[in-house]
Amino acid sequence: MIQFVFCWVLGISVIPLVWANAIPAGDLEYFMPNSTGFRMQHGFETILVQPFGYDGFRVRAWPYRPPTGNEISFIYDPPLEGFENGKAHGMNFDTAFNGNRTMAIRNGNIIVRTSGWGGNPGGYRLAFYRVEKNESETLLTNEYAPLKSINPRYYRWPGPGSEFSAEFSFSTTPDEQIYGTGTQQDHMVNKKGSVIDLINFNTHIPTPVFMSNKGYGFIWNMPSEGRMEFGPVRNKFTADLATVVDYVIVAAPSGDYDTLQRRLSALTGRAPPPPLFSLGFIQSKLRYENQTEVELLAQRFKDLNIPVSLIVIDYQSWAHQGDWQLDPRLWPDVASMAEKVKDLTGAEMMASLWPSVADDSDNYLELIANGFLSATRSGPGTTDSWNGSYIRNYDSTNPAAREFLWKTLKRNYYEKGIKNFWIDQADGGALGEAYENNGQSSYIESIPFTLPNTLYAVGSQFSAGKLYPWAHQQAIEEGFRNVTETKMGTECEHISLSRSGYIGSQRFCSMIWSGDTTSVWDTLAVQVASGLSAAATGWGWWTMDAGGFQADPTVPWSANIDTPQYRELYVRWFQWATFLPFMRTHGSRECNTQNAYTCSNEPWSYGETNTPIIVSYIKLRYQLQPYLQTIFDQFHQTGRSIMRPLYMDFERTDPHIAEMTRKNTNATTQQYMFGPRLLVTPVTTPNVTEWSVYLPQIGTREIKPWTYWWTNETYAGGQIVTVPAPIEHIPLFYLGRQEDIFSGDVF
């Protein structure tokens, strides 16, 4: 056992560092904190700092009134891994002082120190350091407070109540790179320079979890709306309304992103193993209209011998918003339909639900009478409108409302054989369309605010709006776990699909997808970076609409299945879907000859020459199931990412990767590793027969570790290569042997 005792001297203050005993943990040596934390008080502000998990600290701060103890948190206390031995930290600490002394605690390989700013000798500012193998220290970040500046922790009171808004600033450098932050449609893997509003809406799921190339991870553990700003010298986080500010920082060796993901997921949650059927092909379109159409669809899959694992019924399949059941006039025997689909194809079924409730719904009176609907803080309480009806969303933050929702879904769907649920329009506030009033009037194309200030059981949209999609996922998860009598974190028997999420959404049996995107080439390219940001945020259960969701009105051929231009785009998009955590097609299609209410979107819908290509990728997906199970198991056990931006695996072996990532070049925003062996590069422009790919350097230039999937030609890393990419082939390279990939023996 190694003992460390140090002193930190500033002015006249001399405080012993609260150090730790060294203990072995695998191949590393960790330093157990022998302090439960410190509370620093000065003026009206209180700051509580606690060692948290391995290599981490949790910080909470508040002005005047202490927290109630009922604040919303998205992190586990205690974390899933650490020295806590199952004991929660709560608000515990063992050292208190009033801001005129200094303090330091080491937890594993991270140190927090207090120090003065602005010439003040008091111990106000927090700084976080990583301890290197040689016991030297590297500054990760500190509260940003240059001379004569605004305090790094800034509060103001926008209303008469006790809730405050807060702005917290941290130091950064121009060369720092930021990865994660949820998903945005921005072509960026490195978020440096971004200003991101913490407001969820269709195609944007901003989430304040990120990793830095400096070797730390950060969680802004707040349910409120706000902002993230990543400037050249300052990173700033804003909470619009709060009763406490709460964040966590964890450290790992520089370039060790798997350890960072392990540390972060120990705080926010580990994904359960998905059911095997979900790793196959998911068929959907906007929309299947009735029971007969779905049964004929299943028969066609059987007749053509095309495997399918999940068939989805999309929106407007109900009679009224909030019925949460299929319209019996169009779906007269749901149980018989689900059984027939299963018998013909082996596929499960999924149905869409919206959170919206209209006053003509069968459930409206009971929901409104029990306070299960969210409302607005002023006016008649309606939160949005759809198809000529004003609606209110059910309140996912209310446990009783979640229970009511699940009981209704269980009675109307689950017990009739539809056991998977699509949580659409799950963004919170309204129906998640920030710029359009749902087509209610051709004269109203936008509204002069982001989302209504909705009132929930736990607070307002401003103070707790980011909880809504997470709690909506939770409603389905609670239902799944109760009906299957299984525990959170164990293998999922069923799944949900959500358009939104938040910190720790990966702990649910719930996929997140990238929203209602447009069917054009540039949008395809954007989705790659979006998926890689989702991965860095911790969401391994990610997917998108193969082919895009809807036509771009400025592009005549967009989403039209009878045009050669769109058929080419669809094939390229579909190829890429094979190498995502979940393979899914969906969308609103145009066509020249329409036989149903909505145009087709099935594997055979894109012409005789393209159908064999599409089917070949579906069958390849099923060949890859052992590989998929292996990488999902690693994600479940350790948080190790499934989609892997190039910096995760090659930053330390390839000197070019960091610079290309900093600049968000195509090599780093449109290429990634899918698990440990497959390098995927979707084709994102039309009319190409060859494609250039950057192969990361692994060893010396003489070694040729990369093999092109389609020709078995080998290549050295550290170079750009141009390979044949006819319409039949997505550019795909692998490491090792194909036999190992097909068997799943890859770790």
Side-chain angles (χ1 to χ4, degrees):
M1 304 290 284
I2 306 172
Q3 295 284 340
F4 288 86
V5 180
F6 289 81
C7 288
W8 182 258
V9 181
L10 182 62
I12 59 172
S13 301
V14 181
I15 299 294
L17 285 166
V18 183
W19 234 229
N21 293 327
I23 64 169
D27 296 329
L28 301 174
E29 194 170 52
Y30 288 100
F31 290 84
M32 289 181 61
N34 56 12
S35 166
T36 58
F38 64 81
R39 188 187 70 187
M40 183 168 63
Q41 186 97 36
H42 63 92
F44 62 73
E45 184 190 33
T46 304
I47 301 169
L48 175 65
V49 180
Q50 298 170 310
F52 215 72
Y54 288 130
D55 304 320
F57 286 101
R58 184 179 187 182
V59 179
R60 279 169 283 186
W62 60 91
Y64 293 119
R65 294 185 179 183
T68 65
N70 296 318
E71 281 75 19
I72 297 164
S73 174
F74 300 93
I75 63 174
Y76 286 111
D77 182 14
L80 299 178
E81 297 176 347
F83 298 113
E84 291 80 11
N85 294 320
K87 296 180 181 179
H89 298 72
M91 303 293 286
N92 294 331
F93 60 92
D94 54 31
T95 304
F97 54 99
N98 64 4
N100 60 0
R101 293 163 37 176
T102 59
M103 185 72 182
I105 298 176
R106 177 172 179 174
N107 179 22
N109 292 316
I110 189 172
I111 295 173
V112 61
R113 283 201 176 93
T114 65
S115 61
W117 75 74
N120 189 328
Y124 297 160
R125 182 171 65 170
L126 300 179
F128 300 91
Y129 300 82
R130 180 180 59 242
V131 181
E132 309 295 352
K133 290 183 178 179
N134 62 4
E135 291 299 310
S136 65
E137 297 176 12
T138 300
L139 177 66
L140 300 172
T141 187
N142 58 308
E143 292 182 310
Y144 178 76
L147 187 65
K148 306 296 185 184
S149 70
I150 289 178
N151 289 344
R153 304 182 299 273
Y154 175 72
Y155 310 92
R156 60 184 176 86
W157 283 262
S162 60
E163 290 181 315
F164 56 84
S165 65
E167 296 182 2
F168 274 46
S169 295
F170 301 88
S171 66
T172 182
T173 56
D175 62 338
E176 183 173 20
Q177 297 181 31
I178 302 296
Y179 313 129
T181 74
T183 62
Q184 301 87 41
Q185 304 291 315
D186 59 8
H187 269 298
M188 296 171 65
V189 168
N190 173 24
K191 302 294 183 174
K192 187 70 166 182
S194 297
V195 177
I196 302 170
D197 293 315
L198 289 172
I199 301 173
N200 290 36
F201 56 93
N202 195 348
T203 75
H204 287 69
I205 319 175
T207 299
V209 177
F210 72 85
M211 300 187 298
S212 165
N213 69 329
K214 289 188 172 183
Y216 70 92
F218 186 90
I219 305 166
W220 180 249
N221 184 34
M222 305 287 288
S224 63
E225 292 186 352
R227 276 159 303 289
M228 299 180 281
E229 302 177 37
F230 300 104
V233 296
R234 176 174 66 161
N235 295 332
K236 185 167 75 171
F237 296 84
T238 302
D240 286 349
L241 280 180
T243 56
V244 64
V245 173
D246 188 351
Y247 68 88
V248 182
I249 184 169
V250 296
S254 180
D256 187 355
Y257 296 101
D258 284 344
T259 296
L260 279 182
Q261 288 283 296
R262 182 162 193 152
R263 298 287 177 264
L264 290 170
S265 62
L267 298 169
T268 62
R270 299 264 162 79
L276 182 60
F277 76 83
S278 68
L279 303 183
F281 172 53
I282 302 173
Q283 172 63 45
S284 180
K285 75 163 186 173
L286 183 85
R287 59 193 165 89
Y288 296 113
E289 296 296 318
N290 53 54
Q291 180 172 333
T292 300
E293 187 179 5
V294 169
E295 291 176 353
L296 290 174
L297 172 71
Q299 185 67 55
R300 189 76 184 274
F301 270 102
K302 177 179 174 59
D303 292 344
L304 295 176
N305 194 29
I306 300 174
V308 60
S309 290
L310 186 66
I311 292 176
V312 185
I313 301 172
D314 198 2
Y315 83 133
Q316 293 297 104
S317 52
W318 44 79
H320 309 100
Q321 294 285 331
D323 284 352
W324 298 321
Q325 68 172 333
L326 295 174
D327 186 343
R329 296 168 299 180
L330 300 172
W331 314 85
D333 192 341
V334 176
S336 172
M337 175 185 64
E339 184 178 2
K340 187 170 185 178
V341 167
K342 185 76 171 179
D343 288 344
L344 288 169
T345 66
E348 302 291 327
M349 293 199 68
M350 173 181 278
S352 169
L353 67 120
W354 283 16
S356 48
V357 180
D359 57 11
D360 57 357
S361 168
D362 293 341
N363 297 315
Y364 176 78
L365 287 178
E366 186 172 355
L367 287 163
I368 196 73
N370 286 284
F372 293 167
L373 298 180
S374 59
T376 52
R377 291 178 65 89
S378 60
T382 58
T383 54
D384 213 322
S385 56
W386 182 261
N387 280 0
S389 296
Y390 286 105
I391 57 93
R392 296 165 175 82
N393 285 350
Y394 103 103
D395 185 356
S396 70
T397 75
N398 184 333
R402 294 198 299 269
E403 184 178 0
F404 180 94
L405 173 70
W406 175 255
K407 285 182 177 179
T408 308
L409 295 173
K410 181 175 180 289
R411 179 177 64 250
N412 294 329
Y413 291 101
Y414 190 94
E415 292 176 354
K416 297 177 180 179
I418 298 179
K419 300 184 177 183
N420 306 281
F421 294 97
W422 183 352
I423 316 170
D424 205 351
Q425 305 285 335
D427 314 87
L431 290 180
E433 311 292 341
Y435 301 114
E436 197 173 301
N437 192 26
N438 288 321
Q440 295 300 303
S441 168
S442 59
Y443 300 103
I444 302 176
E445 294 183 356
S446 65
I447 47 180
F449 50 85
T450 51
L451 293 170
N453 190 15
T454 306
L455 184 64
Y456 304 114
V458 298
S460 69
Q461 179 67 27
F462 294 165
S463 66
K466 296 291 285 179
L467 171 66
Y468 189 93
W470 191 96
H472 201 358
Q473 291 176 291
Q474 182 185 14
I476 307 302
E477 183 75 10
E478 289 169 338
F480 284 162
R481 295 305 181 180
N482 286 335
V483 77
T484 60
E485 298 182 343
T486 56
K487 295 181 179 180
M488 279 281 292
T490 60
E491 184 174 1
C492 307
E493 294 185 24
H494 318 296
I495 59 170
S496 66
L497 170 68
S498 180
R499 198 174 77 177
S500 205
Y502 200 50
I503 300 167
S505 280
Q506 71 274 1
R507 71 179 68 168
F508 303 129
C509 299
S510 187
M511 298 180 278
I512 290 175
W513 102 98
S514 61
D516 296 347
T517 56
T518 53
S519 298
V520 292
W521 286 99
D522 186 63
T523 301
L524 165 58
V526 170
Q527 300 321 294
V528 185
S530 181
L532 297 180
S533 291
T537 307
W539 302 336
W541 283 40
W542 184 88
T543 186
M544 50 79 211
D545 294 342
F549 173 72
Q550 63 192 32
D552 182 331
T554 67
V555 181
W557 54 261
S558 177
N560 189 322
I561 65 173
D562 292 323
T563 62
Q565 298 96 324
Y566 182 64
R567 287 179 173 182
E568 181 190 6
L569 171 61
Y570 183 83
V571 169
R572 291 300 192 186
W573 211 317
F574 193 88
Q575 291 170 345
W576 175 47
T578 311
F579 304 98
L580 293 178
F582 298 93
M583 184 185 192
R584 171 176 176 268
T585 185
H586 180 65
S588 175
R589 303 293 181 243
E590 309 288 332
C591 53
N592 298 336
T593 303
Q594 187 166 321
N595 297 320
Y597 181 79
T598 56
C599 299
S600 299
N601 185 45
E602 288 71 48
W604 50 85
S605 305
Y606 293 90
E608 291 183 5
T609 59
N610 293 319
T611 297
I613 301 172
I614 292 169
V615 172
S616 72
Y617 280 91
I618 294 175
K619 292 183 176 179
L620 175 58
R621 176 73 179 193
Y622 286 89
Q623 287 181 282
L624 290 171
Q625 278 193 341
Y627 183 74
L628 293 165
Q629 288 178 279
T630 298
I631 60 180
F632 268 96
D633 182 65
Q634 282 291 309
F635 184 55
H636 163 65
Q637 295 291 340
T638 68
R640 189 182 193 276
S641 294
I642 295 170
M643 293 179 70
R644 303 180 61 79
L646 297 188
Y647 62 78
M648 281 191 177
D649 293 307
F650 306 112
E651 183 181 282
R652 291 192 281 192
T653 62
D654 189 327
H656 302 295
I657 291 294
E659 181 63 11
M660 289 191 294
T661 306
R662 183 184 70 82
K663 294 179 179 179
N664 284 306
T665 65
N666 284 349
T668 52
T669 62
Q670 295 181 34
Q671 294 183 203
Y672 64 96
M673 292 296 292
F674 185 53
R677 297 293 182 89
L678 296 175
L679 176 65
V680 182
T681 310
V683 172
T684 55
T685 58
N687 304 317
V688 301
T689 57
E690 57 183 22
W691 197 250
S692 294
V693 178
Y694 182 77
L695 300 178
Q697 184 173 331
I698 299 175
T700 65
R701 291 297 180 91
E702 290 73 31
I703 298 175
K704 293 184 176 182
W706 298 103
T707 304
Y708 194 48
W709 186 271
W710 309 108
T711 65
N712 285 324
E713 186 173 355
T714 59
Y715 297 87
Q719 63 172 330
I720 297 174
V721 300
T722 300
V723 293
I727 190 65
E728 298 85 1
H729 294 161
I730 183 175
L732 179 68
F733 289 81
Y734 65 94
L735 297 170
R737 303 188 310 159
Q738 276 191 356
E739 306 94 277
D740 294 336
I741 294 170
F742 285 130
S743 70
D745 185 15
V746 292
F747 284 107

